[in-house]
């Protein structure tokens, strides 16, 4: 794992977007795992910008989102399908048929989850998975005690997640209490991972995820098991990282980061 600390949330998002863009340039038919949430709202405009101004080509890219609320149809403005169309897909040359999210309206949720896993396998797995982190330590919607080997399934959301996300709904009580999410095991099978964390409200959980023990109480800590994982964070989110000086030294001195400084 490498931790990269950037001065602001915009610098952090820019670095995450550049790493994703580089992956797509190297492999135009990349399979990209995508995340939603406020943190990612700084990333997608950069990708749109790279598409418009630098010709970043999404025509062969396939995407799989981490999660979707159960009970929200795609046209609902709080659904993650709507989020993705609005923030990214509507503004780049991606074929919408190559964009996948779990089906929150599925009659048979278990079957829909199994089919989602199958689809990921069919395209050869995810090349790079973008992740955010919830204050509960979740990645996707893998709330505390999610098995580290879990697969795509329905999950009940914790009170802290409901408190965090219900403010995005016109009527907070309308926020679904359950969601379909890729499992921690599904996420760990991605060939590489970028975890993006910004804001001082995430400082405590980021330190637990990166420097604490691997525990299902903090699902994000499972990324410590991954061989190709970049954690990109803003300075305020990094405030509680004990190894910050070391992480900064690596970013400032290792040749692989030269073009990103
Ligand atoms: C959301 C998503 C996660 C996201 C996290 C953080 O609800 N399910 O994939 O990473 O919670 O969201 P935010 O960036 O808004 O803090």
């Amino acid at each position: 794992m490498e931790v990269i600390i950037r001065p602001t949330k915009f610098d952090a998002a820019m670095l995450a977007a550049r790493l994703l863009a580089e992956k797509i340039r190297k492999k135009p038919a990349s399979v990209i795992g995508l995340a939603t949430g406020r943190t990612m709202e700084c990333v997608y405009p950069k990708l749109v910008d790279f598409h418009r101004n630098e010709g970043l080509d999404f025509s062969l890219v396939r995407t799989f989102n981490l999660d979707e609320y159960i009970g929200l149809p795609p046209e609902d403005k709080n659904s993650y399908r709507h989020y993705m169309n609005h923030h990214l897909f509507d503004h780049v040359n991606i074929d919408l048929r190559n964009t996948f999210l779990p089906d929150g309206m599925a009659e048979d949720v278990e079957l829909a989850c199994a089919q989602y896993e199958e689809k990921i396998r069919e395209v050869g797995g995810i090349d790079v998975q973008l992740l955010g982190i919830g204050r509960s330590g979740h990645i996707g919607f893998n709330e505390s005690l999610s098995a580290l080997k879990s697969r795509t399934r329905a999950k009940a959301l914790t009170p802290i997640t409901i408190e965090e996300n219900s403010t995005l709904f016109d009527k907070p009580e309308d926020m679904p209490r359950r969601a379909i999410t890729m499992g921690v095991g599904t996420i760990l099978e991605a060939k590489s991972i970028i975890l993006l964390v910004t804001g001082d409200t995430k400082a405590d959980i980021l330190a637990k995820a990166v420097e604490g023990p691997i525990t299902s109480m903090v699902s994000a800590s499972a990324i410590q098991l991954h061989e190709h994982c970049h954690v990109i964070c803003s300075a305020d989110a990094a405030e509680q990282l004990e190894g910050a000086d070391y992480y900064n030294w690596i970013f400032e001195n290792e040749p692989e980061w030269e073009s990103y400084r």
Side-chain angles (χ1 to χ4, degrees), residues 93-157:
N93 66 331
I94 200 161
D95 183 340
L96 279 181
R97 288 169 302 183
N98 289 336
T99 65
F100 301 93
L101 286 93
D103 181 1
M105 297 301 283
E107 270 179 34
D108 186 338
V109 170
E110 221 172 292
L111 178 67
C113 292
Q115 287 170 338
Y116 201 63
E117 292 268 337
E118 182 52 35
K119 188 75 201 161
I120 294 172
R121 263 193 300 275
E122 232 174 66
V123 300
I126 291 171
D127 291 305
V128 53
Q129 175 68 56
L130 181 62
L131 294 176
I133 188 171
R135 268 177 50 220
S136 66
H138 69 211
I139 44 177
F141 271 133
N142 290 286
E143 301 288 34
S144 302
L145 294 186
S146 288
L148 300 181
K149 287 180 148 187
S150 52
R151 312 301 309 187
T152 303
R153 70 215 183 288
K155 223 28 219 171
L157 304 176

Side-chain angles (χ1 to χ4, degrees), residues 39 45 51 73 94 98 100 136 148 159 172 178 183 188 192 196 198 212 215 220:
T39 311
H51 168 68
I94 200 161
N98 289 336
F100 301 93
S136 66
L148 300 181
R178 298 170 76 237
L188 290 181
S192 61
L196 177 65
T198 58
T215 165

